[in-house]
Amino acid sequence: MAVGANAKVLRPRSVEEIAAAYDVARADGVPLGLRGGGNSYGDASVNERGHVLDVSRMNRILDWNPETGVVEAQGGVTIAQLWRHILPDGWWPRVVSGTMFPTLAGALAANIHGKNNFRVGTIGDAAVEFDIVLPSGELRTCNREREADLFHAAIGGFGMLGAFSRIVLRTKRVYSGDLWVQGVSTRNLREMMDYFEAHKHAADYLVGWIDCFRGGDASGRGLVHHARYLEPGEDPHPEQTLRIAHQELPGTILGVFPKDQMWRMLRLFQHDPGMRLINATKYFMGRLEGMHEPVRQSHAGFAFLLDYVPNWKWAYGRQPVRNGLIQYQPFLPADVAHDVYLELLDRCRRAGHVPYLGVFKRHRPDPFWLTHALDGWSFAMDFPVRPANRESLWKHCAEMTEIVLDAGGKFYFAKDLVIGRSDARRFFPAVELAAFEALKRELDPEGLLETNLARRAFLD
Ligand SMILES: Cc1cc2nc3c(=O)[nH]c(=O)nc-3n(C[C@H](O)[C@H](O)[C@H](O)COP(=O)(O)OP(=O)(O)OC[C@H]3O[C@@H](n4cnc5c(N)ncnc54)[C@H](O)[C@@H]3O)c2cc1C
């Protein structure tokens, strides 16, 4: 969200048109970057040196089985389309991101995680099968038995091996359109982590928000949201709560502010004193929330908080590239996470680059070759980017990256704009990276599929 480029965009509607788009790029002698909804925070689907293939027109749900919860969809179907299709039958996607606008293809290519990563893994863990159009134009069907290598490489492979055209996913049975949600304020990072650990076997979702401005004994103070599904029979009126209308977010916030104008309000606070105030207010509101019993909240309301504020990123400036934000999300193994995150927070405050938003999650490993997930934690930090702070912010991130890599941590390309190739080589497992590169050479010998991300951080 602090990067962008102009490119010729090809928008295929079928497998044949994807293959034809490959030929267009080949004939023009330029690389092709795959793009879904363009929701990655960095440059994962930006290609300033060639064309872009946008799959969003391939947006049909091909098959839905409300008995088994298995859905088959084209790659351009969005998470929003998916949940709206399946929820009235009592199902919800197993894994969603904090926004509902990603396509399933973009989500699978990044191997996204949700606030339930510690319980159910990533979207790759929910995938049954996919079709992928290779750079040669050949269509391959992959699952855990058939083309197992390609299955485990392309999920989390950030569009380097081919374009997903069809995806089959398992979804989750739900007995209500609501969740029970409890807010719990925590006085520092240790308390937050202890809360997660104590509840990770019973909670269906856990997510922490952190006030990054506070130091000392209060460093890492914040608010945990703990949610669980309702049991069968617990919701007296599931036929009502499972309706789409029950999920839609209201048009105003607090009944007053039109939500599509909310970014203007947020913009007024886009400086350190303003964000310090917002964070402190949120913390104290969180303490009040923590005194209440759990409340019922719709799945969409809980999952897609940021969608509540349309164009929220404009609060950081309406000229993306020059102004905007970067998200920096280090993942750390469980045994070192606490001390390293405190060190990072301390450095942020000393460097005068305090994240305006900090989000904390618990993760678990998965079998995908280049996955970002591990047995540990992630802490996503949103930093405002302005022409005046860009250089020092990048330097600050590079210093933090050294600390994270020395501690055995890793990063997630859907949320990254600062990692270099030598950094990535330190956190990807060597055997899987070598196997991925061999597959790339075999399937894409001319290097047709490329993005800014790939050139910056990914490929040799
Ligand atoms: C507000 C917000 C909240 C978010 N919350 C989360 C979160 O909680 N968890 C999380 O994991 N992520 C989160 N994200 C990141 C987002 O889920 C991922 O970046 C996701 O990949 C975006 O999907 P997209 O369709 O927009 O794909 P894009 O951003 O357009 O592309 C993502 C990647 O997919 C590749 N790709 C696109 N189409 C295809 C295709 N047909 N075949 C193969 N590869 C393809 C692209 O080349 C690129 O590498 C969030 C993003 C935002 C803006």
Side-chain angles (χ1 to χ4, degrees), residues 34 36-40 44-45 98 102-103 106 109 112-113 158-159 163-164 361 412:
L34 304 183
N39 292 284
S40 296
S45 57
T103 61
I112 65 163
H113 61 263
F158 282 85
F164 297 124
K361 289 186 194 141
Y412 175 30

Side-chain angles (χ1 to χ4, degrees), residues 143-154 161 369 435 439:
N143 54 44
R144 284 174 180 76
E145 284 79 44
R146 179 174 167 186
E147 299 277 356
D149 277 359
L150 187 50
F151 183 82
H152 289 95
L161 302 174
W369 286 5
L439 208 50

Side-chain angles (χ1 to χ4, degrees), residues 208-451:
W209 160 83
I210 286 181
D211 173 0
C212 301
F213 283 90
R214 279 308 292 259
D217 291 347
S219 187
R221 75 175 187 180
L223 176 65
V224 180
H225 280 114
H226 168 157
R228 73 163 179 82
Y229 297 112
L230 275 69
E231 302 290 338
E234 218 179 331
D235 182 349
H237 299 292
E239 69 293 345
Q240 287 176 18
T241 59
L242 290 169
R243 286 167 50 204
I244 305 300
H246 178 76
Q247 303 291 318
E248 297 295 1
L249 304 169
T252 55
I253 291 175
L254 300 176
V256 184
F257 302 111
K259 66 177 183 180
D260 59 355
Q261 294 302 313
M262 190 64 191
W263 67 269
R264 290 182 197 278
M265 281 280 291
L266 292 176
R267 185 144 178 68
L268 297 176
F269 292 89
Q270 282 301 309
H271 39 73
D272 284 10
M275 291 315 292
R276 187 183 284 275
L277 179 68
I278 288 198
N279 275 272
T281 309
K282 189 165 154 65
Y283 177 70
F284 288 109
M285 303 270 284
R287 294 196 68 154
L288 293 179
E289 194 182 333
M291 292 172 195
H292 295 149
E293 293 296 303
V295 293
R296 273 176 54 176
Q297 195 177 0
S298 71
H299 290 282
F302 177 75
F304 308 123
L305 188 68
L306 271 176
D307 295 346
Y308 204 49
V309 184
N311 300 320
W312 59 270
K313 48 184 125 69
W314 288 356
Y316 287 85
R318 286 189 69 172
Q319 294 168 297
V321 185
R322 273 168 64 74
N323 298 296
L325 81 150
I326 56 168
Q327 194 166 89
Y328 181 81
Q329 188 179 19
F331 286 68
L332 281 160
D335 54 338
V336 296
H338 175 264
D339 291 357
V340 177
Y341 286 135
L342 282 192
E343 188 182 346
L344 299 184
L345 275 168
D346 200 38
R347 257 176 185 272
C348 288
R349 286 185 291 265
R350 278 190 280 118
H353 288 293
V354 183
Y356 283 3
L357 177 69
V359 175
F360 208 63
K361 289 186 194 141
R362 185 73 169 91
H363 299 272
R364 75 173 202 197
D366 61 60
F368 302 100
W369 286 5
L370 300 187
T371 187
H372 56 280
L374 44 57
D375 178 11
W377 304 80
S378 73
F379 178 28
M381 307 175 218
D382 285 10
F383 291 103
V385 179
R386 303 181 185 107
N389 79 352
R390 203 172 178 117
E391 201 180 319
S392 79
L393 178 58
W394 257 248
K395 186 164 165 284
H396 171 60
C397 290
E399 286 163 7
M400 291 201 293
T401 299
E402 272 306 305
I403 296 171
V404 171
L405 294 179
D406 283 348
K410 54 207 297 205
F411 291 88
Y412 175 30
F413 286 152
K415 307 278 191 81
D416 169 59
L417 195 57
V418 298
I419 296 299
R421 192 176 296 117
S422 56
D423 301 325
R425 282 179 186 271
R426 281 172 68 191
F427 67 76
F428 279 136
V431 173
E432 281 81 357
L433 182 60
F436 186 91
E437 286 173 341
L439 208 50
K440 172 80 176 164
R441 283 193 295 275
E442 178 195 329
L443 302 179
D444 187 14
E446 61 200 322
L448 182 73
L449 298 179
E450 238 182 59
T451 53

